[in-house]
């Protein structure tokens, strides 16, 4: 057993990804769909063993560190939320111990939260990406697009505050369950429709009446049904950027804002930020995650 | 067969209600759940006969007039949308004929629409309520809360323009399918939570980051899970009123705004309008519907 062998887990709502490090180097990745929503706190040890037992049989017990929804109330063990402002350099002293029947050394990274009367907010999983991003790209503002898009105010290794826009989830449920997506059918890319939505969402920041109008335009021939999703995406992202700019009062001096996203999302947010007069910079989410979690894993060795 | 016998139908997405008038007086109401969403254009004649055959057997053929989603593309016959501005006094000359195998005289009221680059909007069913409301309570502005809340600018018997807020539908799908309602359980009334949401929604008109914060507050103990729906209701209605005020630039001179709603919704919208410095007045939706449709039925006699 080498002192530099360890396992790193990104355990979210829908998936688990486990990374095996031998002698300090990543040698294998395993994935399963036993995310927290599936397991719901019932057999986390089983889900973990099913995914990684082969590694433990081959290389013996290895310290394991986990981040993500596995630390939520429906996860393996309820890991704390640390209150902002919080120094992510201190995460290694705030890990939560997990009981494994074989006595494996497993720890979960805490989430972070804001408990203001004006802002109740939680992050679980992204704090680990942020810890990595702080090293790779020092910025005042980080944006992490996705189901729940996080906007984080940082200062060195400290998170001062953050907010969340439910943009991805809203897009998904509006297309799936609301009149906006009803009968819209298979969707196609459309830069002009995305841009039209983006400009409306950003300049008005007034989505309540605009959502139904997507349906109206669909019925009356103002938009092709297959482009409804693109307009909606633009509308929501535009409103998100306008809202965050209004709340946080971003100026050019806060630029470039670091967007932790794949190319697809980065392209959309870069356009939205440009409309807001702000510059963007891209970082890869997996790179940030590993950069953030490896020092925590090493702290267990 | 009296010349003053007729049938009136309010045929929406989820229900049909038929009203029998004999000698000009309402004598019976029948209801079924064969709304347009259930029937989907397949057997509208059957659904109609199942509900009303008894009346036609007893009193012979009677002219029948219908309003609502029965005139949509998924209804019995696609009745036109009339473009705004439109005089609702002219509805009787714009009725769409429906084919019934027994040759009954059945007509559907047209919907109304706005086709502006800045506003694509449709109404189907509420135009009939409006025609009645115009007589019962002359106003510059009518608000019709519900799944899709309509805000209508009127001038005498003319509809100049209107917009729709998807407030009711958003509340329903956010509670049912989004993280906002996840695990919130049985809901309870709470005036303070409704008012807190209302003030936030109205004063900020910035719901994109605020939706997730309801979840955050729920997790962190800032709101009771059973009051999530009340806060969300306030937030959405507040944002709706702020949005419409911003778009239509309402002032005190437009007051009182006539709200066509039951007591439950009226109480909520009255509070929201008060916050916006606007006065409200209540009308009952069924009264408006019958006041609007009876002259149309009589035009068929």
């Amino acid at each position: 057993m080498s002192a530099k062998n360890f396992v790193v887990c990104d355990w979210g709502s829908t998936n688990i990804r486990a990374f095996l490090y031998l002698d300090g180097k990543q040698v294998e990745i395993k994935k399963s769909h036993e995310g927290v929503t599936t397991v719901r706190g019932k057999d986390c040890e089983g889900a973990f063993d099913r995914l990684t037992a082969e590694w433990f049989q081959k290389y013996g017990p290895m310290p394991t560190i986990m981040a993500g929804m596995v630390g939520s109330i429906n996860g393996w063990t309820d890991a704390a939320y640390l209150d902002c402002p919080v120094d992510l350099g201190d995460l290694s002293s705030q890990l939560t111990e997990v009981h494994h029947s074989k006595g494996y050394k497993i720890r979960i990274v805490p989430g972070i939260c804001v408990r203001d009367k004006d802002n109740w907010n939680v992050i679980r999983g992204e704090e680990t990406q942020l810890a990595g991003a702080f090293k790779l790209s020092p910025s005042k503002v980080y944006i992490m697009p996705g189901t729940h898009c996080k906007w984080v105010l940082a200062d060195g290794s400290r998170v001062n505050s953050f907010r969340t826009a439910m943009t991805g989830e809203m897009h998904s449920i509006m297309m799936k369950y609301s009149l906006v997506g009803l009968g819209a059918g298979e969707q196609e890319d459309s830069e002009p429709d995305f841009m039209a939505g983006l400009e409306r969402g950003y300049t008005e920041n007034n989505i309540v009446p605009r959502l139904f109008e997507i349906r109206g335009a669909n019925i009356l021939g103002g938009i092709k049904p297959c482009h409804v999703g693109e307009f909606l995406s633009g509308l929501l992202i535009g409103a998100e950027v306008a809202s965050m700019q209004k709340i946080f009062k971003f100026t050019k001096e806060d630029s470039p804002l670091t967007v932790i996203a794949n190319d697809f999302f980065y392209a959309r947010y870069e356009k939205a930020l440009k409309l807001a007069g702000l510059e963007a910079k891209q970082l890869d989410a997996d790179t940030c995650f590993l950069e953030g979690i490896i020092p925590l894993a090493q702290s267990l060795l």
Side-chain angles (χ1 to χ4, degrees), chain A residues 46-123:
Chain A
F48 177 71
D49 287 349
R50 281 187 283 283
L51 188 63
T52 61
E54 192 196 323
W55 293 345
F56 285 80
Q57 279 159 18
K58 222 163 163 182
Y59 307 107
M62 294 172 283
T64 299
I65 184 132
M66 303 177 167
M69 294 306 285
V70 67
S72 73
I73 201 169
N74 291 321
W76 195 335
T77 297
D78 192 6
Y81 287 105
L82 308 179
D83 285 280
C84 283
V86 59
D87 193 323
L88 297 189
D90 296 340
L91 285 179
S92 63
S93 64
Q94 307 272 5
L95 305 177
T96 293
E97 196 173 334
V98 170
H99 174 79
H100 189 286
S101 60
K102 290 188 183 153
Y104 294 162
K105 188 176 187 177
I106 302 179
R107 301 287 183 275
I108 300 179
V109 182
I112 60 178
C113 72
V114 177
R115 302 174 201 258
D116 284 346
K117 204 186 151 194
D118 178 53
N119 181 17
W120 295 95
N121 241 307
V122 288
I123 270 182

Side-chain angles (χ1 to χ4, degrees), chain A residues 239-257:
Chain A
E240 174 187 340
V241 171
S243 294
M244 294 300 183
Q245 199 174 22
K246 199 159 115 184
I247 292 173
F248 287 128
K249 301 179 176 55
F250 294 131
T251 66
K252 264 216 154 170
E253 285 172 25
D254 299 306
S255 288
L257 282 63

Side-chain angles (χ1 to χ4, degrees), chain A residues 208-228:
Chain A
V208 174
R210 293 307 187 181
L211 289 170
F212 185 85
E213 287 166 28
I214 303 176
R215 175 65 179 175
N218 187 343
I219 291 174
L220 300 171
I223 188 171
K224 283 191 187 174
C226 63
H227 294 158
V228 156

Side-chain angles (χ1 to χ4, degrees), chain A residues 179-293:
Chain A
L179 205 65
V180 173
L182 184 70
E186 191 121 350
Q187 295 296 296
E188 286 176 13
D189 289 347
S190 167
E191 171 87 6
D193 287 282
F194 173 75
M195 288 306 294
L198 189 64
E199 281 181 43
R200 176 142 290 168
Y202 180 73
T203 54
E204 285 192 358
N205 191 19
N206 205 1
I207 64 168
V208 174
R210 293 307 187 181
L211 289 170
F212 185 85
E213 287 166 28
I214 303 176
R215 175 65 179 175
N218 187 343
I219 291 174
L220 300 171
I223 188 171
K224 283 191 187 174
C226 63
H227 294 158
V228 156
E230 285 283 59
F231 186 91
L232 178 63
S233 170
L235 187 76
L236 292 172
I237 293 174
E240 174 187 340
V241 171
S243 294
M244 294 300 183
Q245 199 174 22
K246 199 159 115 184
I247 292 173
F248 287 128
K249 301 179 176 55
F250 294 131
T251 66
K252 264 216 154 170
E253 285 172 25
D254 299 306
S255 288
L257 282 63
T258 298
V259 183
I260 304 175
N262 62 20
D263 292 348
F264 175 83
F265 280 117
Y266 180 70
R268 286 174 188 241
Y269 279 77
E270 189 189 23
K271 281 169 194 150
L273 291 169
K274 196 176 169 189
L275 206 59
L278 300 167
E279 281 164 42
K281 184 178 165 181
Q282 184 183 13
L283 274 187
D284 174 66
D286 281 355
T287 310
C288 291
F289 173 73
L290 293 172
E291 187 76 21
I293 205 164

Side-chain angles (χ1 to χ4, degrees), chain A residues 133-188:
Chain A
F134 286 177
K135 292 183 216 162
L136 296 168
S137 168
S139 296
K140 288 185 184 172
V141 187
Y142 294 86
I143 304 174
M144 311 167 89
T147 307
H148 303 129
C149 184
K150 305 292 177 181
W151 289 64
V152 179
L153 299 192
D155 179 8
S157 60
R158 198 170 65 209
V159 175
N160 282 329
S161 187
F162 64 90
R163 298 221 177 223
T164 309
M166 222 177 221
T167 304
E169 183 174 328
M170 291 249 317
H171 190 275
S172 161
I173 65 176
M174 298 299 295
M175 288 303 288
K176 203 166 168 186
Y177 301 112
S178 90
L179 205 65
V180 173
L182 184 70
E186 191 121 350
Q187 295 296 296
E188 286 176 13

